[in-house]
Amino acid sequence: GGGGGVFRFHSRVLPGQDVEGFVGKVAVYDSKAVLKLDQEFLETVIPSVGGTVRILKGKYSGCLAELRALDIALFSAAVRISEGKYTGRDVSELPYEHICKVDKDYL
């Protein structure tokens, strides 16, 4: 690979920073660095069961939810939506790439 020097650093995507649908700005934890990266170089983080996730794609995109279960064989998750008009709704078989861990310090 490209020798970019940011391999496996924990960071958070800055809200409202989507550029042309595929590029975003991320802030690297423990650093003041802000990087502009193509989404192909980013990996979502799946929390432990009980953790908070944001749904990234589909009908419930943008909703916060509690992770209820993981299906390792199907690479999918079951969640319960915890905010908005869908509060309390259970959603299953969400592909891993449709959810990500939420840093509660930035809610």
Side-chain angles (χ1 to χ4, degrees):
V6 192
F7 183 71
R8 297 223 182 254
F9 279 79
H10 289 107
S11 60
R12 67 179 176 91
V13 176
L14 298 173
Q17 297 296 322
D18 185 50
V19 179
E20 298 173 15
F22 298 99
V23 177
K25 289 184 181 178
V26 297
V28 179
Y29 290 132
D30 301 325
S31 169
K32 292 183 181 179
V34 173
L35 308 171
K36 189 162 88 170
L37 298 172
D38 189 286
Q39 72 177 1
E40 75 178 84
F41 299 110
L42 303 175
E43 292 182 2
T44 59
V45 175
I46 306 295
S48 301
V49 171
T52 302
V53 298
R54 183 168 306 276
I55 301 174
L56 303 172
K57 298 180 182 179
K59 178 178 181 176
Y60 306 106
S61 178
C63 291
L64 289 177
E66 176 190 350
L67 182 61
R68 308 282 284 173
L70 295 170
D71 186 329
I72 310 272
L74 296 177
F75 301 100
S76 68
V79 302
R80 176 168 290 155
I81 298 178
S82 57
E83 72 166 18
K85 70 179 182 177
Y86 300 112
T87 297
R89 182 169 293 179
D90 290 324
V91 182
S92 60
E93 298 182 9
L94 283 171
Y96 287 166
E97 62 270 15
H98 287 204
I99 63 170
C100 71
K101 181 178 180 179
V102 172
D103 184 341
K104 291 188 178 192
D105 289 338
Y106 296 97
L107 282 178

